Amino acid sequence: MSTRVLTGITTTGTPHLGNWAGAIRPAINASTLPGTDAFYFMADYHALIKCDDPARVARSRLEIAATWLAGGLDPERVTFYRQSDIPEIPELCWILTCVTAKGLMNRAHAYKASVDQNTAKGVDPDDGITMGLFSYPVLMAADILMFNANKVPVGRDQTQHLEMARDIAQRFNHLYGGEYFVLPEVVIEESVATLPGLDGRKMSKSYNNTIPLFEGDAKSLRAAVMRIVTDSRQPGEPKDAEGSHLYTLYRAFATEAESSAFRKELEGGMGWGDAKQALYERLDRDIAPMRERYQALMAHPERIEDILQAGAEKARKLATPFMAQLREAIGLRRHTAIAVANKATAKKSSKAARFVSFRDDDGTFRFRLLGADGQELLLSRSFENPKEAGAVMQRLQAIGDQDILHVDGLAYTAVLDGAAIAQGPAAADETQRDALLAQVRQALAAQG
């Protein structure tokens, strides 16, 4: 059985060397692992939260797609698409918004940080805060839940958003009485490489200290490497390899043997100029072939578009029927379906009684028997796995109205093989209890 893994990439900038080593390269490598069903998407709706420059967003979408493809992502093996090409995602986002507590969004780190900054400035707490920023975690939840991803690799700063996605999924499942959404697991990428930039701080466009990946040509890459800050030790003086940004960058791309040799040369007195040249040559050995593919793709954006449209079609084959199922669950049914259901109900109202299964907050599995009016008539005990719960539910359906109900004070219990497997609701008095017993027996008879 495959594990579905989903990763999103916000389209607000041009990928640099740090993005490649820290996120893109490991994700592409992970997509080749057996048993992995990988979904990679460009989060261009998310980009609108951070950027209001249309040209920048459009350019970034193209550059990021070209980077992933040039880096070796196989669109035949994975599902690679743009968020904005899947109309079911914003539809699901609205549905999830309607079941998400505002208090949950109030606790989002990004929103709280913006409020704190405004408070420190002495301005209105919500100054400059858009609904996009405020409800960002709901859109992220829709991205994940739309395809029922099992695992979502994120940095530690994104953990809260995954926890929120789980909370929202549980709320929906509970509210509508079904296992519609898988609860995604957070995968913290502790081993992801964080590369130093030109000044030694984390490589980031915010610090203006990045090394280009494909921008420009080999000369641009070499020029950037030559600007890396080093200490004042002269050629012939031993260098501190572990404390050197050059060595950290070199090690992120080289083999163990190559890294060991480079370290010895630094500790043996290699000059910083020669070390930078060696780093440039090692980087360009990996980057040059990818840069050539990148430039070919950027010269023919229609090729990228064809790949993304094929990815969107692949993704929508899952999203469209799933959204139809969700629309049915929340009552947005077609009128023809309602008419057929009403006709069947008129013939035999007890047919509306039904079993529904769900996953509880503790990870165990349970089921309910709901009456024609939606009232809970039975709630099962917890089961360790869904097959066990399903087997018991099927037995109850087959048994029908046989005498399995036992009065327990003002409540009642369903018993199979001498063990209590489900409990009825507590009544206010014996009259109400007996009425519930009659209703549950009728509902079970309709199942049999």
Side-chain angles (χ1 to χ4, degrees):
M1 183 176 178
S2 63
T3 299
R4 184 164 292 170
V5 180
L6 181 142
T7 298
I9 313 102
T10 307
T11 55
T12 54
T14 301
H16 52 71
L17 200 68
N19 299 141
W20 169 254
I24 303 172
R25 182 177 63 183
I28 292 175
N29 291 339
S31 72
T32 65
L33 298 175
T36 298
D37 181 17
F39 279 60
Y40 296 125
F41 71 96
M42 286 181 290
D44 45 359
Y45 279 140
H46 285 292
L48 303 181
I49 300 169
K50 305 175 181 178
C51 180
D52 57 5
D53 181 350
R56 180 182 172 189
V57 171
R59 180 70 179 178
S60 180
R61 295 199 316 167
L62 190 64
E63 291 174 338
I64 289 174
T67 298
W68 280 73
L69 295 169
L73 186 70
D74 182 356
E76 297 297 323
R77 187 183 183 99
V78 307
T79 304
F80 184 51
Y81 58 96
R82 279 181 303 230
Q83 184 186 38
S84 60
D85 287 333
I86 315 298
E88 292 80 6
I89 290 175
E91 182 179 358
L92 177 58
C93 180
W94 175 250
I95 291 171
L96 296 180
T97 298
C98 293
V99 303
T100 300
K102 178 178 178 290
L104 183 65
M105 295 297 96
N106 288 342
R107 296 192 291 274
H109 296 326
Y111 171 66
K112 288 175 65 178
S114 296
V115 169
D116 289 345
Q117 290 173 6
N118 285 336
T119 301
K121 294 176 184 176
V123 298
D124 184 87
D126 286 327
D127 183 58
I129 297 176
T130 66
M131 284 303 298
L133 173 64
F134 181 72
S135 59
Y136 167 89
V138 185
L139 179 56
M140 185 170 174
D143 293 325
I144 298 164
L145 300 178
M146 183 78 260
F147 299 105
N148 274 326
N150 304 109
K151 296 180 182 292
V152 183
V154 295
R156 188 165 292 280
D157 61 332
Q158 289 288 316
T159 301
Q160 186 196 42
H161 290 152
L162 265 293
E163 292 171 349
M164 288 179 166
R166 288 174 62 90
D167 289 342
I168 294 168
Q170 284 181 312
R171 170 64 177 161
F172 185 96
N173 288 348
H174 177 74
L175 189 63
Y176 292 103
E179 281 296 294
Y180 298 100
F181 297 122
V182 170
L183 302 188
E185 294 181 22
V186 179
V187 179
I188 304 298
E189 299 190 308
E190 300 284 12
S191 60
V192 167
T194 299
L195 297 189
L198 302 178
D199 57 2
R201 292 180 294 176
K202 175 185 175 181
M203 192 179 297
S204 170
K205 287 188 180 294
S206 301
Y207 298 143
N208 194 30
N209 67 349
T210 62
I211 296 174
L213 182 60
F214 300 138
E215 284 182 282
D217 51 19
K219 290 182 179 178
S220 299
L221 175 62
R222 186 178 184 279
V225 170
M226 291 300 170
R227 294 199 304 274
I228 295 174
V229 174
T230 56
D231 61 32
S232 58
R233 294 180 220 195
Q234 298 298 311
E237 293 185 70
K239 311 298 188 296
D240 175 16
E242 285 297 329
S244 166
H245 310 320
L246 292 179
Y247 179 66
T248 301
L249 287 163
Y250 192 96
R251 189 170 50 186
F253 288 84
T255 64
E256 287 189 19
E258 290 170 336
S259 298
S260 178
F262 186 61
R263 177 176 185 149
K264 287 181 180 178
E265 289 188 87
L266 285 173
E267 293 174 344
M270 183 185 213
W272 287 125
D274 291 337
K276 290 179 180 180
Q277 179 64 26
L279 171 60
Y280 156 69
E281 291 174 359
R282 184 62 191 84
L283 292 176
D284 200 53
R285 193 195 315 168
D286 284 357
I287 293 173
M290 295 190 293
R291 185 192 299 119
E292 185 175 344
R293 293 193 293 269
Y294 174 83
Q295 291 171 344
L297 285 164
M298 291 295 288
H300 294 280
E302 70 278 3
R303 296 178 187 172
I304 298 174
E305 187 63 29
D306 287 344
I307 291 170
L308 291 172
Q309 288 302 319
E313 183 179 355
K314 186 176 177 182
R316 293 199 69 201
K317 284 181 179 178
L318 297 174
T320 302
F322 185 42
M323 182 53 64
Q325 180 186 354
L326 295 176
R327 288 171 65 88
E328 177 78 14
I330 62 177
L332 303 182
R333 307 179 180 96
R334 293 182 181 275
H335 293 305
T336 52
I338 295 174
V340 170
N342 287 341
K343 187 180 291 185
T345 303
K347 288 183 178 179
K348 192 174 183 183
S349 62
S350 60
K351 287 243 181 231
R354 66 196 187 279
F355 282 96
V356 293
S357 59
F358 64 98
R359 189 171 187 175
D360 218 336
D361 292 346
D362 62 1
T364 59
F365 297 86
R366 307 175 81 178
F367 61 81
R368 296 184 177 92
L369 173 61
L370 301 178
D373 58 357
Q375 181 177 4
E376 181 178 282
L377 301 176
L378 286 173
L379 175 62
S380 78
R381 68 173 179 84
S382 298
F383 297 90
E384 290 300 321
N385 62 73
K387 290 184 178 179
E388 186 182 1
V392 173
M393 189 167 62
Q394 287 176 1
R395 284 192 63 190
L396 284 176
Q397 291 171 318
I399 287 172
D401 62 346
Q402 293 183 26
D403 191 17
I404 62 169
L405 299 175
H406 298 261
V407 172
D408 182 13
L410 293 179
Y412 52 87
T413 304
V415 177
L416 285 178
D417 302 327
I421 50 87
Q423 184 80 27
D429 52 40
E430 291 183 359
T431 301
Q432 185 184 32
R433 180 202 63 198
D434 293 342
L436 285 169
L437 275 169
Q439 192 176 352
V440 74
R441 288 191 176 107
Q442 184 182 21
L444 286 171
Q447 304 294 316

